[in-house]
Amino acid sequence: MSKQFDIALIGLAVMGENLVLNMADHGVSVAVFNRTTSKVDDFIVRAHSSAIGGAHSITELTGMLSKPRKIMLMVKAGKPVDAMIEELLPLLDKGDIIIDGGNSFFADTQRRYRDCATKGIRFVGMGVSGGEEGARHGPSLMPGGDRSAYDEIAPIFTKIAAKTDDGVCCAYVGSDGAGHYVKMVHNGIEYGDMQLISEAYYILKNVVGLNADELHNVFAEWNKGELDSYLIEITRDIFLQKDPHTGSPLVELILDKAGQKGTGKWTSQSALDLGVPVPTITAAVFARCMSAYKNERVAASAVLSGPAAEKFSGDRTAMIRAVHDALFASKICSYAQGFALLKAASDENKWELNYGDVALLWRNGCIIRAQFLDRIKEAFAAEPRLPNLLIASYFREVIARLQDHWRAVVSMCSTRGVPAPAFSASLDYYDSYRQSHLPANLIQAQRDFFGAHTYERIDEKGVFHTEWGKK
């Protein structure tokens, strides 16, 4: 009898290959398949492992697996996932498991979960974060879907996931699309983090006047304290990279047009659907959109007036500290928005997310891994239904300590004409959330005036309408 493999993986791009190698390192046998079968043959030669076997067809692949079959898809999100599932279903038995490890939209995962369930196939939508390095040596895994299926695949995925002192960065998140939703919000927070860091860089370079070596030193120092995180760490290292042809810092030769794959946009769209404000994340998405208008921006820069980014002439050390504080305070607001969105989605979909566990999943192996996620875990351990991270004592005290510098930096950016959309959006979010009264009373009066939409009063119960302009 030919060897029966523990799991199959379909899709041998960089992430797929590295996950397979990670599994093989941990004693898991893996059968692999790719549409371009030459990739299968090439990978088998390069991997040189008895734990990895190659298939040249889906039929051959399904015949190589022990039952119940476990098949992981690492293919492009959207129609390719649906096409692969349709090809697999006739070859599977009831109780077999399909795992989608791509960046699928959570609503698609919900649909696939339901469709597979009607055929007796158990479906898991699993967010995978950490990029190439994480996939190879320990990713953050966010599985959702069929609980019994997760219990069967857990011994495999807890072996290969990233680890922390508190546990493994892999745990069941919730039913149907919960895993991919959590991954989507992770990516939305990632957008916010990256934009906030880029704004800090822009201020330090164009206002404070730091060169690449000085920027490296600043970010190296920041990575030793409250801002300790993967993104600060790699930003530190980016400033050291020189262009081999010119000797200039490579980052300064990169065109200022940022790409995006859509998960940040999905996060903002879902927030709009649920009525949850995520202005930092949305500002980060729009900042990437604005960056794409490079030719228009170049033309506009020649004709639109405004203050120049005048060089700072005061205490540079103090200003660097102020930018640090503005970045950390803004970062807290971005995470607060992300977790508020998770709470609303969990309530809407009856996922019963454990927010402390989500913070642990992100503590290592993923792109937004950061020291202060431990504080988020502690906050939700103390109060599982915490309405907003800003209310937790640690974050409340941190922002009280940092906000003078935060306000000074945002104000300076405004007066000097330096764009800082995510810094500003974070501060606006904080100031709006802490107000007991907002000007929405006038908006509601306007709505009632032109559309008879009614309003509530602060001094009486009930719903009211006024014939405005009539005495």
Side-chain angles (χ1 to χ4, degrees), residues 313-330:
S313 59
D315 185 335
R316 293 208 319 173
T317 301
M319 178 52 67
I320 291 168
R321 182 66 207 185
V323 174
H324 167 283
D325 291 353
L327 175 56
F328 191 38
S330 297

Side-chain angles (χ1 to χ4, degrees), residues 332-446:
I332 289 170
C333 285
S334 183
Y335 280 70
Q337 293 162 34
F339 276 90
L341 180 56
L342 286 175
K343 179 179 181 298
S346 180
D347 291 345
E348 175 76 12
N349 293 280
K350 299 179 172 55
W351 285 331
E352 298 182 354
L353 295 181
N354 183 310
Y355 309 107
D357 284 353
V358 170
L360 175 60
L361 295 181
W362 295 344
R363 184 62 184 86
N364 200 5
C366 69
I367 303 303
I368 67 169
R369 60 184 183 265
Q371 182 187 66
F372 94 131
L373 281 159
D374 289 338
R375 295 292 192 172
I376 295 177
K377 187 177 186 301
E378 291 169 5
F380 284 113
E383 191 176 344
R385 296 298 296 175
L386 183 70
N388 192 295
L389 280 174
L390 295 177
I391 302 299
S393 59
Y394 169 77
F395 297 107
R396 191 170 68 240
E397 291 163 8
V398 167
I399 288 190
R401 169 168 58 87
L402 303 181
Q403 67 172 289
D404 285 350
H405 281 165
W406 189 16
R407 295 181 189 282
V409 169
V410 172
S411 176
M412 179 195 69
C413 287
S414 177
T415 57
R416 291 174 183 251
V418 175
F423 274 14
S424 300
S426 298
L427 183 56
D428 286 342
Y429 177 80
Y430 176 74
D431 280 338
S432 295
Y433 192 70
R434 71 184 185 85
Q435 297 298 325
S436 61
H437 295 284
L438 290 170
N441 54 322
L442 178 57
I443 293 172
Q444 200 59 21
Q446 292 168 334

Side-chain angles (χ1 to χ4, degrees), residues 130-153:
E132 178 181 351
E133 184 72 13
R136 183 66 183 88
H137 299 292
S140 169
L141 301 173
M142 296 152 259
D146 188 289
R147 180 59 198 251
S148 70
Y150 173 72
D151 290 341
E152 290 196 36
I153 65 175

Side-chain angles (χ1 to χ4, degrees), residues 68-81:
R69 300 178 183 92
K70 306 168 188 69
I71 302 173
M72 184 174 190
L73 309 182
M74 291 298 294
V75 300
K76 187 176 180 181
K79 291 181 180 179
V81 177

Side-chain angles (χ1 to χ4, degrees), residues 12-71:
L12 292 177
V14 172
M15 289 291 287
E17 284 194 0
N18 281 309
L19 284 170
V20 172
L21 293 171
N22 190 350
M23 290 181 194
D25 285 348
H26 288 85
V28 178
S29 60
V30 192
V32 301
F33 173 75
N34 196 83
R35 287 284 188 200
T36 306
T37 55
S38 60
K39 277 195 170 186
V40 175
D41 297 333
D42 177 62
F43 178 60
I44 294 298
V45 171
R46 286 186 288 109
H48 193 60
S49 170
S50 61
I52 303 171
H56 286 181
S57 71
I58 294 296
T59 302
E60 182 185 1
L61 184 77
T62 56
M64 295 170 66
L65 300 174
S66 59
K67 297 184 178 181
R69 300 178 183 92
K70 306 168 188 69
I71 302 173

